[in-house]
Amino acid sequence: MSLPQTMKVKSAKDRSILIYAESDSNADQLYFGGVFVPDPFISFSRNSEKYAVVSALEYARVREESDFDEVLALEEWMTRARKQFRREQCGVAEIIRLLAREFGISSFHIAEDFPAGLAFRLRSAGMRLIVSEGPLFPEREIKSDLEASAIRKGNQASASGIRVAERMLRQSVVKNGRIYSSGRLLTSERLQEAIEIACIEKGAVASGTIVAGGDQGCDPHCRGSGPLWPNELIIIDVFPRVKNSGYYGDMTRTFLKGRPSDRQRELVSCVKEAQTLALKSLKPGIAGSKVHSLVQNHFERKGFNTGKKGGVNEGFFHGTGHGLGLEVHELPRAGRQGEKLRTGSVVTIEPGLYYRGLGGCRIEDVARLRTGGSELLSKYHYRWVIR
């Protein structure tokens, strides 16, 4: 399904872009043509015109649904390449060489993740390939109103997943030092499954969902496994991809089933304060590194220090946030090296603290920068203690 019209992009006039990838998972290819294709295909630009070369399997659909100015038939260009190079076996490299010759293109700009084998073949044949310094489409960083709406829909799916998980925790019972839901031991896997079903029902696919309790939650990318325990912090991080647009949501909340200790209360309160501080600081022109420093300094003032204990990181040892869009991690960044944030940028704000034996807490929302400040693209409450 093609992207809404205002999400589509025209290539810069002063460069010809070349992509060989599937658009189902390659964000640049999807952004360039605005259509989902499961197999790798050639796309390129000349001046401001955009072209795709696809097989008969995809030809009619891509012509109808995509934002390409012209769709070329792979089989026709394969036949022409065989005649041109007088070879029975011709592949993608030969087709690209012929396209460059026929369209008068002297060089192509490619992304850093362009297939290496194909690049070697093209360069060995004398083609000039220029690897883009930074993103192939820097304009992806600035989100239109429709893109913001698509990201908001992703976060609505995230919220639905978190809501289901919270409901299961609320309806569960603590018995003999364990948590039971519907008579069965409550595990990370059960909550992950319930979350992902809820996201599907909202038109989004969640994979890699994090439900990590206790010390598992102290490893920020640990998905979590096995039984969840009462009186331990549980980090729930949901980042689904909306099926009809390809845009992501990304939200995190932390819960505890039972009775928290005073130190756990202090930990969660400090993380929430840091997130509020960072969100209030967001405005066009502020450096992502500045936002990150505000969070770091707040944690240190409150006595939650960062370092290593027994060779393992503890405290706050990841970035404050990252860009969100057609990829779950993209520019801009809010970390030690974070660049200036611009109007229309979309970033997550997700401070966290992690101490083995105490637990981990991370709270994450998504904001879009607007003139004079920012707007939230995610919404869910912050009540975390579940009796």
Side-chain angles (χ1 to χ4, degrees), residues 252-313:
T252 306
R253 293 294 186 267
T254 299
F255 296 101
L256 181 144
K257 175 72 175 182
R259 296 184 179 276
S261 68
D262 290 342
R263 192 58 173 163
Q264 286 170 327
R265 289 187 182 275
E266 292 172 2
L267 181 82
V268 175
S269 177
C270 188
V271 172
K272 184 64 187 76
E273 290 168 357
Q275 197 214 25
T276 299
L277 186 67
L279 287 170
K280 286 182 176 180
S281 76
L282 290 179
K283 60 182 178 180
I286 191 170
S289 57
K290 173 65 174 178
V291 179
H292 184 69
S293 293
L294 289 172
V295 171
Q296 281 186 312
N297 294 338
H298 177 77
F299 286 153
E300 289 171 5
R301 284 195 305 270
K302 292 289 186 174
F304 288 99
N305 298 317
T306 297
K308 284 192 174 182
K309 185 175 182 180
V312 178
N313 289 309

Side-chain angles (χ1 to χ4, degrees), residues 50-312:
K50 301 192 298 182
Y51 302 84
V53 184
V54 298
S55 70
L57 185 67
E58 303 287 359
Y59 183 81
R61 185 176 67 86
V62 173
R63 276 188 58 178
E64 180 179 347
E65 296 181 3
S66 78
D67 190 44
F68 290 111
D69 296 288
E70 187 172 350
V71 179
L72 308 175
L74 174 65
E75 293 79 7
E76 176 186 338
W77 283 85
M78 179 70 77
T79 299
R80 292 176 63 177
R82 287 172 180 156
K83 291 179 180 179
Q84 177 67 41
F85 298 107
R86 297 182 181 181
R87 291 174 55 182
E88 183 61 30
Q89 295 297 322
C90 279
V92 174
E94 288 72 32
I95 294 173
I96 292 172
R97 290 170 57 193
L98 180 59
L99 289 165
R101 182 178 302 179
E102 292 289 318
F103 283 85
I105 299 172
S106 60
S107 64
F108 282 115
H109 285 254
I110 61 173
E112 290 182 341
D113 62 353
F114 189 87
L118 179 56
F120 284 132
R121 290 191 65 183
L122 291 171
R123 281 185 166 171
S124 67
M127 285 202 64
R128 184 167 180 250
L129 300 178
I130 303 166
V131 180
S132 178
E133 294 184 7
L136 189 61
F137 299 110
E139 57 268 36
R140 273 181 50 196
E141 181 180 328
I142 307 303
K143 305 300 192 293
S144 69
D145 289 344
L146 278 181
E147 286 177 292
S149 178
I151 294 168
R152 185 179 282 109
K153 185 173 181 180
N155 283 316
Q156 289 169 351
S158 297
S160 292
I162 294 171
R163 185 176 297 110
V164 166
E166 181 186 3
R167 185 182 306 128
M168 287 183 68
L169 284 166
R170 197 168 298 282
Q171 294 174 348
S172 64
V173 296
V174 176
K175 185 169 58 177
N176 299 324
R178 298 286 189 99
I179 305 175
Y180 290 86
S181 174
S182 301
R184 296 163 51 207
L185 200 62
L186 188 60
T187 64
S188 293
E189 291 86 351
R190 287 186 64 190
L191 285 189
Q192 289 160 355
E193 180 180 316
I195 288 167
E196 290 167 6
I197 289 171
C199 288
I200 288 172
E201 291 173 344
K202 285 290 185 178
V205 176
S207 60
T209 300
I210 293 171
V211 179
D215 284 350
Q216 289 185 357
C218 295
D219 181 349
H221 281 173
C222 176
R223 295 184 182 182
S225 61
L228 296 167
W229 297 85
N231 310 321
E232 287 192 342
L233 294 167
I234 303 168
I235 293 176
I236 299 179
D237 190 344
V238 186
F239 36 98
R241 189 187 193 208
V242 180
K243 290 191 292 184
N244 67 0
S245 71
Y247 284 79
Y248 281 86
D250 194 2
M251 290 177 63
T252 306
R253 293 294 186 267
T254 299
F255 296 101
L256 181 144
K257 175 72 175 182
R259 296 184 179 276
S261 68
D262 290 342
R263 192 58 173 163
Q264 286 170 327
R265 289 187 182 275
E266 292 172 2
L267 181 82
V268 175
S269 177
C270 188
V271 172
K272 184 64 187 76
E273 290 168 357
Q275 197 214 25
T276 299
L277 186 67
L279 287 170
K280 286 182 176 180
S281 76
L282 290 179
K283 60 182 178 180
I286 191 170
S289 57
K290 173 65 174 178
V291 179
H292 184 69
S293 293
L294 289 172
V295 171
Q296 281 186 312
N297 294 338
H298 177 77
F299 286 153
E300 289 171 5
R301 284 195 305 270
K302 292 289 186 174
F304 288 99
N305 298 317
T306 297
K308 284 192 174 182
K309 185 175 182 180
V312 178

Side-chain angles (χ1 to χ4, degrees), residues 7-12 15-20 26-34 43-45 47 50 68 109-113 132-143 147 326-327 330-332 342:
M7 292 188 192
K8 296 176 180 176
V9 59
K10 287 290 185 182
S11 175
R15 60 178 183 156
S16 292
I17 286 171
L18 175 65
I19 303 174
Y20 182 68
N26 185 282
D28 283 337
Q29 188 73 292
L30 180 58
Y31 189 74
F32 191 48
S43 66
F44 67 97
S45 65
N47 299 322
K50 301 192 298 182
F68 290 111
H109 285 254
I110 61 173
E112 290 182 341
D113 62 353
S132 178
E133 294 184 7
L136 189 61
F137 299 110
E139 57 268 36
R140 273 181 50 196
E141 181 180 328
I142 307 303
K143 305 300 192 293
E147 286 177 292
L326 289 173
E327 293 178 286
E330 59 181 44
L331 293 178
R342 298 187 289 163

Side-chain angles (χ1 to χ4, degrees), residues 20-41:
Y20 182 68
E22 75 287 351
S23 57
D24 272 13
S25 60
N26 185 282
D28 283 337
Q29 188 73 292
L30 180 58
Y31 189 74
F32 191 48
V35 64
F36 290 101
V37 178
D39 298 312
F41 67 97

